[in-house]
Amino acid sequence: MPAGLKQSSSVISIGFLATETAPNTYTQTQVDLNLSPLDREVFVVLAINLDNSFPDAITATNTQTISQLTTTSQTDIVTLQDANCMSRLSNTIQAAGFVDGGVAFTSQALETPPSTLEYIGIIATNDFFVGVKGSNNLATKRVSGKLYGYRAVASADIYAALVQSEVLSA
């Protein structure tokens, strides 16, 4: 258990879905955690599972589907080095120059952390954001997934520091 926090629920999973509004357009969905700021409630993240739509297989065209889960609203896809990015998944088909087909690649953040980690992150504000964006696809793409974790109550100073850190790093 992280210092300054007291677990207030059992482990829960929260499902989510984000679908592009148009092909190759960054689209984001806001997921409410229903946390109580008056009770200094936070969400301790244990694991994240992202599942993308596969990119379109188009002859001689590189295509891609990228998704992310962040603690703050974003205007486009970010990298894992962003302080608010908790997980990212990329599915790519490298087909430029190929007459038929191409080569598929997948790159993702760790879905389930090693047992040596107590948690992978803490969400201090009331919601998180799931984004998806395709590249060179003909059809819209989507991401679905689950966020695993538990609610916890933070001491006043820890809560203030977590909220400030999350909001200021946006």
Side-chain angles (χ1 to χ4, degrees), residues 144-168:
S144 61
K146 289 204 184 260
L147 175 75
Y148 301 90
Y150 56 87
R151 296 171 186 273
V153 176
S155 62
D157 56 336
I158 297 293
Y159 182 75
L162 288 170
V163 170
Q164 184 176 9
S165 174
E166 189 172 306
V167 172
L168 291 179

Side-chain angles (χ1 to χ4, degrees), residues 1-57:
M1 170 63 70
L5 299 180
K6 180 181 177 189
Q7 188 169 341
S8 61
S9 77
S10 59
V11 174
I12 57 175
S13 65
I14 300 167
F16 51 81
L17 172 70
T19 304
E20 287 180 309
T21 54
N24 310 309
T25 303
Y26 178 73
T27 304
Q28 172 178 270
T29 298
Q30 182 175 349
V31 182
D32 190 358
L33 289 169
N34 293 316
L35 298 174
S36 173
L38 293 175
D39 295 325
R40 302 178 319 274
E41 198 170 41
V42 298
F43 192 81
V44 179
V45 179
L46 300 175
I48 301 167
N49 188 3
L50 297 175
D51 186 21
N52 280 349
S53 299
F54 286 106
D56 296 341

